């Protein structure tokens, strides 16, 4: 949990795991300072198994006023390489404005 203490509008997120890449990642958001949480974005090697959703490439990722709150699951690809400590060199990044 990362509390920023006030409201921010986030346009881009970039994550770099400090260890082996997990099978699935779920990001949640709160608009009431942590009292309640809603899914924001999913990443998985198998979106349907992990979250019951198709990967974002399997359905339209076009953002509109009708689907702007839709949670997408993006395919999480295995890392292409690791450093000497066994950490993934891959970065997981996404734009909050284009899905």
């Amino acid at each position: 949990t990362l509390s920023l203490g006030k409201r921010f509008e986030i346009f881009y997120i970039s994550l770099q795991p400090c260890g082996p890449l997990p099978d699935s990642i779920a990001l949640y958001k709160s608009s009431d300072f942590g009292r309640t949480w809603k899914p924001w974005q999913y990443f998985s090697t198998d979106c349907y198994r992990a979250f019951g959703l198709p990967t974002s490439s399997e359905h339209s990722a076009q953002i509109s006023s009708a689907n702007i709150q839709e949670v997408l699951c993006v395919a999480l690809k295995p890392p292409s390489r690791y450093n000497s400590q066994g950490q993934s060199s891959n970065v997981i990044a996404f734009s909050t404005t284009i899905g």
Side-chain angles (χ1 to χ4, degrees), residues 26-47:
L27 297 179
Y28 289 81
K29 64 180 177 179
S30 175
S31 298
D32 57 9
F33 299 101
R35 284 186 293 233
T36 60
W37 293 88
K38 295 187 282 188
W40 189 11
Q41 181 84 24
Y42 296 130
F43 299 90
S44 182
T45 56
D46 186 343
C47 290

Side-chain angles (χ1 to χ4, degrees), residues 85-97:
Q85 288 82 35
Q87 297 171 325
S88 167
S89 60
N90 284 14
V91 174
I92 301 164
F94 73 97
S95 169
T96 63
T97 59

Side-chain angles (χ1 to χ4, degrees), residues 3-40:
S3 176
L4 301 175
K6 61 182 179 177
R7 290 179 188 251
F8 285 89
E9 189 162 347
I10 298 173
F11 295 98
Y12 188 80
I13 301 257
S14 176
L15 305 171
Q16 185 168 15
C18 293
L21 193 63
D23 182 55
S24 299
I25 298 171
L27 297 179
Y28 289 81
K29 64 180 177 179
S30 175
S31 298
D32 57 9
F33 299 101
R35 284 186 293 233
T36 60
W37 293 88
K38 295 187 282 188
W40 189 11

